[in-house]
Amino acid sequence: MKKIVPFILLSILFLASCNPHSIIKEKLNQHKEVGLMIKEKVPEEFIPQDVKIVSVGDSLTQGVGDSTKRGGYVPYLKELLEKDKSINNALFNNFGIKGNRSDQLLKKLASNEVRDAVKDADYVIVTIGGNDVMKVVRENFSSLNLKAFTQQRKVYEKNLKEVLTAIRKDNPNSKVILVGLYNPFFKWFADIQEINEIIGEWNQVSQDVLMKYPNTYFVEIADLFYDEGENLLHTDYFHPNDQGYKLIANRIFQKINEEVLEKASTENKENGY
């Protein structure tokens, strides 16, 4: 009889451990753990990423006229990008050179330093063309005519195609952003409408060229410098001042945000992420 009692107690304990409620609870916990594991696998697009940006071109990229000496539009754009939820750090390589024309930019893009940076870039931002226009002004100052601008524009168009081809050769997937031209003479020669027309024609040529290359974007800035109520030019009356660079950065960010970041977000939603 003494041996039977312990056996009955052990049986009761065993049955208690096999209680259906305990089994259900255990199953629920298992499902909960699996659910948590699935949720932890967040799509990469939702994790803030570092973006690598190569800035190339002329004095607008170098930042001539920027009192802070930090690189023109670059620090302002960096700040805007890093406020975006999808971006962790915006890492810039600035290869801007004062006075660079489109033919000189081609030579710069051929250097090993720039090529290595472009190969690893998510974005390539280009400012070029202003010195091509100035070349015509300097060489024909006493007798400016539309024909001279037209001839140089054709040279610029050819060089721009080669610039984009060179970038695409080193990096087929980067987003290329070309910042348009503005008329630095607007405040002082507002009555000379031909200059505005010339700038408009060059900007249109730039857009036409970009249409032939995938993942390329044009940023219009000419209208920013038409505002007579705000001076956006440096004391040299040619380059932007701090406020001018800040507004250029805002325009570049708007283009990146509208055409790239929002597009990526929409695609993620359509894919169920």
Side-chain angles (χ1 to χ4, degrees), residues 31-131:
H31 283 297
K32 191 175 182 181
E33 288 175 5
V34 172
L36 287 171
M37 287 175 65
I38 292 172
K39 288 181 180 179
E40 284 173 2
K41 293 180 180 179
V42 181
E44 187 176 322
E45 291 81 0
F46 286 92
I47 302 172
Q49 304 288 312
D50 289 347
V51 292
K52 297 178 181 179
I53 302 167
V54 169
S55 297
V56 294
D58 51 29
S59 52
L60 295 189
T61 296
Q62 182 179 327
V64 176
D66 167 24
S67 68
T68 69
K69 308 297 181 184
R70 294 185 299 159
Y73 70 82
V74 169
Y76 302 109
L77 180 58
K78 177 179 174 66
E79 183 179 350
L80 290 168
L81 287 170
E82 290 179 349
K83 285 181 180 178
D84 190 275
K85 294 179 182 179
S86 66
I87 295 174
N88 186 29
N89 294 306
L91 308 173
F92 280 83
N93 276 311
N94 191 328
F95 297 106
I97 299 177
K98 178 182 177 181
N100 253 16
R101 299 186 307 272
S102 55
D103 58 318
Q104 294 167 320
L105 174 57
L106 270 172
K107 295 178 181 178
K108 186 67 176 176
L109 287 169
S111 69
N112 290 332
E113 182 185 17
V114 177
R115 290 191 66 188
D116 288 343
V118 168
K119 287 175 184 177
D120 203 30
D122 299 298
Y123 300 90
V124 178
I125 303 176
V126 183
T127 62
I128 203 67
N131 292 304

Side-chain angles (χ1 to χ4, degrees), residues 129-177:
N131 292 304
D132 293 69
V133 174
M134 282 303 298
K135 181 176 183 289
V136 180
V137 175
R138 291 191 186 99
E139 293 177 355
N140 303 272
F141 189 77
S142 60
S143 57
L144 280 176
N145 60 79
L146 293 177
K147 184 178 179 181
F149 284 103
T150 301
Q151 291 173 343
Q152 188 62 34
R153 190 187 69 212
K154 291 178 180 177
V155 174
Y156 165 75
E157 181 178 3
K158 175 179 176 293
N159 289 338
L160 181 58
K161 290 177 181 177
E162 292 185 24
V163 164
L164 294 170
T165 299
I167 293 172
R168 276 287 162 261
K169 183 178 179 181
D170 286 330
N171 189 334
N173 301 314
S174 64
K175 309 293 189 300
V176 180
I177 298 170

Side-chain angles (χ1 to χ4, degrees), residues 10-21:
L10 287 171
S11 300
I12 293 171
L13 289 171
F14 175 76
L15 290 171
S17 68
C18 296
N19 188 297
H21 293 291

